[in-house]
PDB file of all heavy atoms in Angstrom:
ATOM      1  N   SER A   1     -15.924 132.457 221.875  1.00  0.00           N
ATOM      2  CA  SER A   1     -15.922 131.452 222.892  1.00  0.00           C
ATOM      3  C   SER A   1     -15.598 129.945 222.387  1.00  0.00           C
ATOM      4  O   SER A   1     -15.471 129.178 223.240  1.00  0.00           O
ATOM      5  CB  SER A   1     -17.337 131.386 223.525  1.00  0.00           C
ATOM      6  OG  SER A   1     -18.303 130.915 222.671  1.00  0.00           O
ATOM      7  N   ASN A   2     -15.367 129.798 221.123  1.00  0.00           N
ATOM      8  CA  ASN A   2     -14.930 128.539 220.591  1.00  0.00           C
ATOM      9  C   ASN A   2     -13.393 128.359 220.877  1.00  0.00           C
ATOM     10  O   ASN A   2     -12.882 127.301 220.549  1.00  0.00           O
ATOM     11  CB  ASN A   2     -15.296 128.271 219.222  1.00  0.00           C
ATOM     12  CG  ASN A   2     -14.726 129.217 218.248  1.00  0.00           C
ATOM     13  OD1 ASN A   2     -13.983 130.121 218.665  1.00  0.00           O
ATOM     14  ND2 ASN A   2     -14.925 129.030 216.999  1.00  0.00           N
ATOM     15  N   HIS A   3     -12.807 129.360 221.366  1.00  0.00           N
ATOM     16  CA  HIS A   3     -11.379 129.287 221.643  1.00  0.00           C
ATOM     17  C   HIS A   3     -11.089 128.264 222.740  1.00  0.00           C
ATOM     18  O   HIS A   3     -11.800 128.264 223.762  1.00  0.00           O
ATOM     19  CB  HIS A   3     -10.788 130.690 222.023  1.00  0.00           C
ATOM     20  CG  HIS A   3      -9.282 130.816 221.979  1.00  0.00           C
ATOM     21  ND1 HIS A   3      -8.494 130.229 222.924  1.00  0.00           N
ATOM     22  CD2 HIS A   3      -8.533 131.359 221.117  1.00  0.00           C
ATOM     23  CE1 HIS A   3      -7.202 130.448 222.614  1.00  0.00           C
ATOM     24  NE2 HIS A   3      -7.242 131.202 221.473  1.00  0.00           N
ATOM     25  N   PRO A   4     -10.162 127.362 222.619  1.00  0.00           N
ATOM     26  CA  PRO A   4      -9.975 126.323 223.697  1.00  0.00           C
ATOM     27  C   PRO A   4      -9.417 126.824 224.988  1.00  0.00           C
ATOM     28  O   PRO A   4      -9.521 126.109 225.987  1.00  0.00           O
ATOM     29  CB  PRO A   4      -8.900 125.463 222.941  1.00  0.00           C
ATOM     30  CG  PRO A   4      -8.181 126.307 221.986  1.00  0.00           C
ATOM     31  CD  PRO A   4      -9.188 127.295 221.406  1.00  0.00           C
ATOM     32  N   ARG A   5      -9.006 128.131 225.040  1.00  0.00           N
ATOM     33  CA  ARG A   5      -8.363 128.493 226.342  1.00  0.00           C
ATOM     34  C   ARG A   5      -9.495 129.190 227.272  1.00  0.00           C
ATOM     35  O   ARG A   5      -9.068 129.398 228.402  1.00  0.00           O
ATOM     36  CB  ARG A   5      -7.320 129.668 225.981  1.00  0.00           C
ATOM     37  CG  ARG A   5      -6.239 129.154 225.071  1.00  0.00           C
ATOM     38  CD  ARG A   5      -4.897 128.917 225.795  1.00  0.00           C
ATOM     39  NE  ARG A   5      -4.448 129.715 226.795  1.00  0.00           N
ATOM     40  CZ  ARG A   5      -3.715 130.884 226.506  1.00  0.00           C
ATOM     41  NH1 ARG A   5      -3.455 131.266 225.257  1.00  0.00           N
ATOM     42  NH2 ARG A   5      -3.317 131.604 227.473  1.00  0.00           N
ATOM     43  N   PHE A   6     -10.660 129.451 226.901  1.00  0.00           N
ATOM     44  CA  PHE A   6     -11.698 129.943 227.849  1.00  0.00           C
ATOM     45  C   PHE A   6     -12.998 129.637 227.336  1.00  0.00           C
ATOM     46  O   PHE A   6     -13.364 129.330 226.284  1.00  0.00           O
ATOM     47  CB  PHE A   6     -11.505 131.483 227.998  1.00  0.00           C
ATOM     48  CG  PHE A   6     -11.387 132.285 226.761  1.00  0.00           C
ATOM     49  CD1 PHE A   6     -12.499 132.503 225.936  1.00  0.00           C
ATOM     50  CD2 PHE A   6     -10.172 132.840 226.374  1.00  0.00           C
ATOM     51  CE1 PHE A   6     -12.420 133.243 224.765  1.00  0.00           C
ATOM     52  CE2 PHE A   6     -10.062 133.666 225.236  1.00  0.00           C
ATOM     53  CZ  PHE A   6     -11.162 133.836 224.446  1.00  0.00           C
ATOM     54  N   VAL A   7     -13.911 129.649 228.412  1.00  0.00           N
ATOM     55  CA  VAL A   7     -15.365 129.371 228.300  1.00  0.00           C
ATOM     56  C   VAL A   7     -16.068 130.488 228.990  1.00  0.00           C
ATOM     57  O   VAL A   7     -15.662 130.846 230.061  1.00  0.00           O
ATOM     58  CB  VAL A   7     -15.756 128.169 228.971  1.00  0.00           C
ATOM     59  CG1 VAL A   7     -17.333 127.931 228.929  1.00  0.00           C
ATOM     60  CG2 VAL A   7     -15.110 126.867 228.419  1.00  0.00           C
ATOM     61  N   PHE A   8     -16.924 131.311 228.244  1.00  0.00           N
ATOM     62  CA  PHE A   8     -17.600 132.440 228.824  1.00  0.00           C
ATOM     63  C   PHE A   8     -18.980 131.989 229.304  1.00  0.00           C
ATOM     64  O   PHE A   8     -19.653 131.235 228.779  1.00  0.00           O
ATOM     65  CB  PHE A   8     -17.796 133.568 227.627  1.00  0.00           C
ATOM     66  CG  PHE A   8     -16.466 134.124 227.218  1.00  0.00           C
ATOM     67  CD1 PHE A   8     -15.986 134.054 225.914  1.00  0.00           C
ATOM     68  CD2 PHE A   8     -15.690 134.826 228.115  1.00  0.00           C
ATOM     69  CE1 PHE A   8     -14.953 134.569 225.532  1.00  0.00           C
ATOM     70  CE2 PHE A   8     -14.494 135.444 227.758  1.00  0.00           C
ATOM     71  CZ  PHE A   8     -14.070 135.381 226.418  1.00  0.00           C
ATOM     72  N   GLU A   9     -19.325 132.583 230.497  1.00  0.00           N
ATOM     73  CA  GLU A   9     -20.593 132.501 231.030  1.00  0.00           C
ATOM     74  C   GLU A   9     -21.278 133.819 231.125  1.00  0.00           C
ATOM     75  O   GLU A   9     -20.687 134.821 231.436  1.00  0.00           O
ATOM     76  CB  GLU A   9     -20.471 131.977 232.500  1.00  0.00           C
ATOM     77  CG  GLU A   9     -19.971 130.505 232.694  1.00  0.00           C
ATOM     78  CD  GLU A   9     -20.995 129.633 232.178  1.00  0.00           C
ATOM     79  OE1 GLU A   9     -22.260 129.971 232.300  1.00  0.00           O
ATOM     80  OE2 GLU A   9     -20.624 128.468 231.937  1.00  0.00           O
ATOM     81  N   PHE A  10     -22.546 133.846 230.628  1.00  0.00           N
ATOM     82  CA  PHE A  10     -23.333 135.088 230.725  1.00  0.00           C
ATOM     83  C   PHE A  10     -24.568 134.893 231.493  1.00  0.00           C
ATOM     84  O   PHE A  10     -25.128 133.767 231.578  1.00  0.00           O
ATOM     85  CB  PHE A  10     -23.709 135.506 229.236  1.00  0.00           C
ATOM     86  CG  PHE A  10     -22.572 135.667 228.382  1.00  0.00           C
ATOM     87  CD1 PHE A  10     -22.081 134.622 227.587  1.00  0.00           C
ATOM     88  CD2 PHE A  10     -22.011 136.965 228.229  1.00  0.00           C
ATOM     89  CE1 PHE A  10     -21.021 134.783 226.731  1.00  0.00           C
ATOM     90  CE2 PHE A  10     -20.874 137.147 227.407  1.00  0.00           C
ATOM     91  CZ  PHE A  10     -20.428 136.029 226.741  1.00  0.00           C
ATOM     92  N   ASP A  11     -25.091 135.921 232.067  1.00  0.00           N
ATOM     93  CA  ASP A  11     -26.386 135.768 232.792  1.00  0.00           C
ATOM     94  C   ASP A  11     -27.214 137.108 232.522  1.00  0.00           C
ATOM     95  O   ASP A  11     -26.705 138.136 232.915  1.00  0.00           O
ATOM     96  CB  ASP A  11     -26.079 135.619 234.280  1.00  0.00           C
ATOM     97  CG  ASP A  11     -27.396 135.114 234.963  1.00  0.00           C
ATOM     98  OD1 ASP A  11     -28.453 135.877 234.810  1.00  0.00           O
ATOM     99  OD2 ASP A  11     -27.370 134.128 235.577  1.00  0.00           O
ATOM    100  N   ASN A  12     -28.311 136.922 231.936  1.00  0.00           N
ATOM    101  CA  ASN A  12     -29.108 138.122 231.550  1.00  0.00           C
ATOM    102  C   ASN A  12     -30.198 138.327 232.422  1.00  0.00           C
ATOM    103  O   ASN A  12     -31.112 139.214 232.142  1.00  0.00           O
ATOM    104  CB  ASN A  12     -29.604 137.979 230.029  1.00  0.00           C
ATOM    105  CG  ASN A  12     -28.447 137.992 229.054  1.00  0.00           C
ATOM    106  OD1 ASN A  12     -27.517 138.724 229.242  1.00  0.00           O
ATOM    107  ND2 ASN A  12     -28.593 137.143 228.109  1.00  0.00           N
ATOM    108  N   ARG A  13     -30.307 137.683 233.559  1.00  0.00           N
ATOM    109  CA  ARG A  13     -31.473 137.789 234.363  1.00  0.00           C
ATOM    110  C   ARG A  13     -31.592 139.192 235.055  1.00  0.00           C
ATOM    111  O   ARG A  13     -32.708 139.606 235.453  1.00  0.00           O
ATOM    112  CB  ARG A  13     -31.574 136.734 235.409  1.00  0.00           C
ATOM    113  CG  ARG A  13     -31.890 135.419 234.828  1.00  0.00           C
ATOM    114  CD  ARG A  13     -31.918 134.289 235.812  1.00  0.00           C
ATOM    115  NE  ARG A  13     -30.397 133.870 235.990  1.00  0.00           N
ATOM    116  CZ  ARG A  13     -30.179 132.836 236.682  1.00  0.00           C
ATOM    117  NH1 ARG A  13     -31.021 132.067 237.142  1.00  0.00           N
ATOM    118  NH2 ARG A  13     -28.881 132.482 236.670  1.00  0.00           N
ATOM    119  N   SER A  14     -30.516 139.944 235.246  1.00  0.00           N
ATOM    120  CA  SER A  14     -30.521 141.111 235.967  1.00  0.00           C
ATOM    121  C   SER A  14     -31.018 142.338 235.153  1.00  0.00           C
ATOM    122  O   SER A  14     -31.329 143.386 235.590  1.00  0.00           O
ATOM    123  CB  SER A  14     -29.132 141.547 236.513  1.00  0.00           C
ATOM    124  OG  SER A  14     -28.225 141.620 235.587  1.00  0.00           O
ATOM    125  N   VAL A  15     -31.215 142.108 233.884  1.00  0.00           N
ATOM    126  CA  VAL A  15     -31.485 143.235 232.898  1.00  0.00           C
ATOM    127  C   VAL A  15     -32.718 144.036 233.318  1.00  0.00           C
ATOM    128  O   VAL A  15     -32.694 145.197 233.343  1.00  0.00           O
ATOM    129  CB  VAL A  15     -31.611 142.556 231.440  1.00  0.00           C
ATOM    130  CG1 VAL A  15     -32.020 143.749 230.466  1.00  0.00           C
ATOM    131  CG2 VAL A  15     -30.471 141.915 231.050  1.00  0.00           C
ATOM    132  N   GLN A  16     -33.823 143.379 233.605  1.00  0.00           N
ATOM    133  CA  GLN A  16     -35.039 144.063 233.960  1.00  0.00           C
ATOM    134  C   GLN A  16     -35.400 144.120 235.434  1.00  0.00           C
ATOM    135  O   GLN A  16     -36.456 144.522 235.863  1.00  0.00           O
ATOM    136  CB  GLN A  16     -36.254 143.491 233.135  1.00  0.00           C
ATOM    137  CG  GLN A  16     -36.065 143.485 231.640  1.00  0.00           C
ATOM    138  CD  GLN A  16     -35.985 144.924 231.174  1.00  0.00           C
ATOM    139  OE1 GLN A  16     -36.619 145.884 231.561  1.00  0.00           O
ATOM    140  NE2 GLN A  16     -35.120 145.110 230.140  1.00  0.00           N
ATOM    141  N   THR A  17     -34.445 143.683 236.269  1.00  0.00           N
ATOM    142  CA  THR A  17     -34.665 143.589 237.663  1.00  0.00           C
ATOM    143  C   THR A  17     -33.917 144.567 238.440  1.00  0.00           C
ATOM    144  O   THR A  17     -32.664 144.561 238.323  1.00  0.00           O
ATOM    145  CB  THR A  17     -34.333 142.192 238.248  1.00  0.00           C
ATOM    146  OG1 THR A  17     -35.014 141.171 237.404  1.00  0.00           O
ATOM    147  CG2 THR A  17     -34.692 142.026 239.685  1.00  0.00           C
ATOM    148  N   ALA A  18     -34.495 145.441 239.283  1.00  0.00           N
ATOM    149  CA  ALA A  18     -33.785 146.371 239.997  1.00  0.00           C
ATOM    150  C   ALA A  18     -33.091 145.625 241.221  1.00  0.00           C
ATOM    151  O   ALA A  18     -33.619 144.697 241.753  1.00  0.00           O
ATOM    152  CB  ALA A  18     -34.799 147.442 240.658  1.00  0.00           C
ATOM    153  N   ILE A  19     -31.824 146.100 241.444  1.00  0.00           N
ATOM    154  CA  ILE A  19     -31.054 145.377 242.447  1.00  0.00           C
ATOM    155  C   ILE A  19     -31.665 145.387 243.853  1.00  0.00           C
ATOM    156  O   ILE A  19     -31.275 144.477 244.639  1.00  0.00           O
ATOM    157  CB  ILE A  19     -29.579 145.926 242.432  1.00  0.00           C
ATOM    158  CG1 ILE A  19     -28.660 144.885 243.174  1.00  0.00           C
ATOM    159  CG2 ILE A  19     -29.562 147.281 243.108  1.00  0.00           C
ATOM    160  CD1 ILE A  19     -27.218 145.096 242.867  1.00  0.00           C
ATOM    161  N   ASN A  20     -32.502 146.296 244.155  1.00  0.00           N
ATOM    162  CA  ASN A  20     -33.140 146.362 245.426  1.00  0.00           C
ATOM    163  C   ASN A  20     -34.574 145.967 245.424  1.00  0.00           C
ATOM    164  O   ASN A  20     -35.417 146.152 246.399  1.00  0.00           O
ATOM    165  CB  ASN A  20     -33.097 147.880 245.984  1.00  0.00           C
ATOM    166  CG  ASN A  20     -33.760 148.839 245.014  1.00  0.00           C
ATOM    167  OD1 ASN A  20     -34.155 148.441 244.006  1.00  0.00           O
ATOM    168  ND2 ASN A  20     -33.784 150.100 245.453  1.00  0.00           N
ATOM    169  N   SER A  21     -34.994 145.224 244.309  1.00  0.00           N
ATOM    170  CA  SER A  21     -36.294 144.689 244.264  1.00  0.00           C
ATOM    171  C   SER A  21     -36.587 143.402 244.973  1.00  0.00           C
ATOM    172  O   SER A  21     -35.517 142.732 245.409  1.00  0.00           O
ATOM    173  CB  SER A  21     -36.742 144.505 242.763  1.00  0.00           C
ATOM    174  OG  SER A  21     -36.140 143.409 242.219  1.00  0.00           O
ATOM    175  N   GLU A  22     -37.693 142.966 245.136  1.00  0.00           N
ATOM    176  CA  GLU A  22     -38.020 141.598 245.812  1.00  0.00           C
ATOM    177  C   GLU A  22     -37.488 140.508 244.952  1.00  0.00           C
ATOM    178  O   GLU A  22     -37.107 139.445 245.506  1.00  0.00           O
ATOM    179  CB  GLU A  22     -39.474 141.549 246.027  1.00  0.00           C
ATOM    180  CG  GLU A  22     -40.094 142.410 247.091  1.00  0.00           C
ATOM    181  CD  GLU A  22     -41.521 142.242 247.378  1.00  0.00           C
ATOM    182  OE1 GLU A  22     -42.082 141.200 246.955  1.00  0.00           O
ATOM    183  OE2 GLU A  22     -42.150 143.157 247.925  1.00  0.00           O
ATOM    184  N   ASP A  23     -37.446 140.663 243.634  1.00  0.00           N
ATOM    185  CA  ASP A  23     -36.864 139.549 242.712  1.00  0.00           C
ATOM    186  C   ASP A  23     -35.395 139.531 242.737  1.00  0.00           C
ATOM    187  O   ASP A  23     -34.758 138.500 242.284  1.00  0.00           O
ATOM    188  CB  ASP A  23     -37.353 139.857 241.313  1.00  0.00           C
ATOM    189  CG  ASP A  23     -38.901 139.669 241.215  1.00  0.00           C
ATOM    190  OD1 ASP A  23     -39.543 138.888 242.006  1.00  0.00           O
ATOM    191  OD2 ASP A  23     -39.473 140.310 240.299  1.00  0.00           O
ATOM    192  N   ALA A  24     -34.719 140.528 243.312  1.00  0.00           N
ATOM    193  CA  ALA A  24     -33.268 140.608 243.195  1.00  0.00           C
ATOM    194  C   ALA A  24     -32.609 139.375 243.878  1.00  0.00           C
ATOM    195  O   ALA A  24     -31.568 138.894 243.362  1.00  0.00           O
ATOM    196  CB  ALA A  24     -32.716 141.838 243.736  1.00  0.00           C
ATOM    197  N   SER A  25     -33.062 138.978 244.963  1.00  0.00           N
ATOM    198  CA  SER A  25     -32.423 137.817 245.658  1.00  0.00           C
ATOM    199  C   SER A  25     -32.454 136.540 244.800  1.00  0.00           C
ATOM    200  O   SER A  25     -31.514 135.806 244.791  1.00  0.00           O
ATOM    201  CB  SER A  25     -33.132 137.495 246.972  1.00  0.00           C
ATOM    202  OG  SER A  25     -34.400 137.184 246.854  1.00  0.00           O
ATOM    203  N   ARG A  26     -33.558 136.342 244.002  1.00  0.00           N
ATOM    204  CA  ARG A  26     -33.610 135.109 243.167  1.00  0.00           C
ATOM    205  C   ARG A  26     -32.553 135.336 242.056  1.00  0.00           C
ATOM    206  O   ARG A  26     -31.879 134.374 241.715  1.00  0.00           O
ATOM    207  CB  ARG A  26     -34.981 135.002 242.599  1.00  0.00           C
ATOM    208  CG  ARG A  26     -35.147 133.757 241.767  1.00  0.00           C
ATOM    209  CD  ARG A  26     -36.604 133.530 241.398  1.00  0.00           C
ATOM    210  NE  ARG A  26     -37.402 134.739 241.258  1.00  0.00           N
ATOM    211  CZ  ARG A  26     -37.526 135.374 240.033  1.00  0.00           C
ATOM    212  NH1 ARG A  26     -36.941 134.898 239.007  1.00  0.00           N
ATOM    213  NH2 ARG A  26     -38.242 136.456 240.057  1.00  0.00           N
ATOM    214  N   VAL A  27     -32.402 136.537 241.508  1.00  0.00           N
ATOM    215  CA  VAL A  27     -31.518 136.783 240.434  1.00  0.00           C
ATOM    216  C   VAL A  27     -30.052 136.694 240.900  1.00  0.00           C
ATOM    217  O   VAL A  27     -29.207 136.067 240.290  1.00  0.00           O
ATOM    218  CB  VAL A  27     -31.742 138.163 239.837  1.00  0.00           C
ATOM    219  CG1 VAL A  27     -30.689 138.662 238.939  1.00  0.00           C
ATOM    220  CG2 VAL A  27     -33.113 138.306 239.202  1.00  0.00           C
ATOM    221  N   LYS A  28     -29.761 137.212 242.148  1.00  0.00           N
ATOM    222  CA  LYS A  28     -28.464 137.091 242.756  1.00  0.00           C
ATOM    223  C   LYS A  28     -28.094 135.617 243.006  1.00  0.00           C
ATOM    224  O   LYS A  28     -26.926 135.269 242.730  1.00  0.00           O
ATOM    225  CB  LYS A  28     -28.362 137.902 244.052  1.00  0.00           C
ATOM    226  CG  LYS A  28     -28.415 139.447 243.943  1.00  0.00           C
ATOM    227  CD  LYS A  28     -28.404 140.146 245.260  1.00  0.00           C
ATOM    228  CE  LYS A  28     -28.403 141.630 245.074  1.00  0.00           C
ATOM    229  NZ  LYS A  28     -28.467 142.309 246.357  1.00  0.00           N
ATOM    230  N   ALA A  29     -29.092 134.913 243.393  1.00  0.00           N
ATOM    231  CA  ALA A  29     -28.698 133.559 243.657  1.00  0.00           C
ATOM    232  C   ALA A  29     -28.273 132.754 242.317  1.00  0.00           C
ATOM    233  O   ALA A  29     -27.347 132.036 242.297  1.00  0.00           O
ATOM    234  CB  ALA A  29     -29.910 132.709 244.266  1.00  0.00           C
ATOM    235  N   GLY A  30     -29.032 133.053 241.235  1.00  0.00           N
ATOM    236  CA  GLY A  30     -28.662 132.522 239.927  1.00  0.00           C
ATOM    237  C   GLY A  30     -27.353 132.975 239.434  1.00  0.00           C
ATOM    238  O   GLY A  30     -26.565 132.264 238.949  1.00  0.00           O
ATOM    239  N   ILE A  31     -27.076 134.213 239.607  1.00  0.00           N
ATOM    240  CA  ILE A  31     -25.751 134.717 239.147  1.00  0.00           C
ATOM    241  C   ILE A  31     -24.666 134.176 239.966  1.00  0.00           C
ATOM    242  O   ILE A  31     -23.602 133.720 239.454  1.00  0.00           O
ATOM    243  CB  ILE A  31     -25.762 136.327 239.213  1.00  0.00           C
ATOM    244  CG1 ILE A  31     -26.670 136.874 238.260  1.00  0.00           C
ATOM    245  CG2 ILE A  31     -24.388 136.877 239.121  1.00  0.00           C
ATOM    246  CD1 ILE A  31     -26.959 138.426 238.402  1.00  0.00           C
ATOM    247  N   SER A  32     -24.853 134.141 241.318  1.00  0.00           N
ATOM    248  CA  SER A  32     -23.790 133.553 242.290  1.00  0.00           C
ATOM    249  C   SER A  32     -23.567 132.086 241.818  1.00  0.00           C
ATOM    250  O   SER A  32     -22.382 131.716 241.842  1.00  0.00           O
ATOM    251  CB  SER A  32     -24.307 133.540 243.692  1.00  0.00           C
ATOM    252  OG  SER A  32     -24.322 134.914 244.072  1.00  0.00           O
TER     253      SER A  32
END
């Protein structure tokens, strides 16, 4: 990622959250 042509973004919040759980909307908002 120190290459001048790109910047990488990562989001690890979905790791322990089921996509259909109550917490998923908060995770989706952060990822979005």
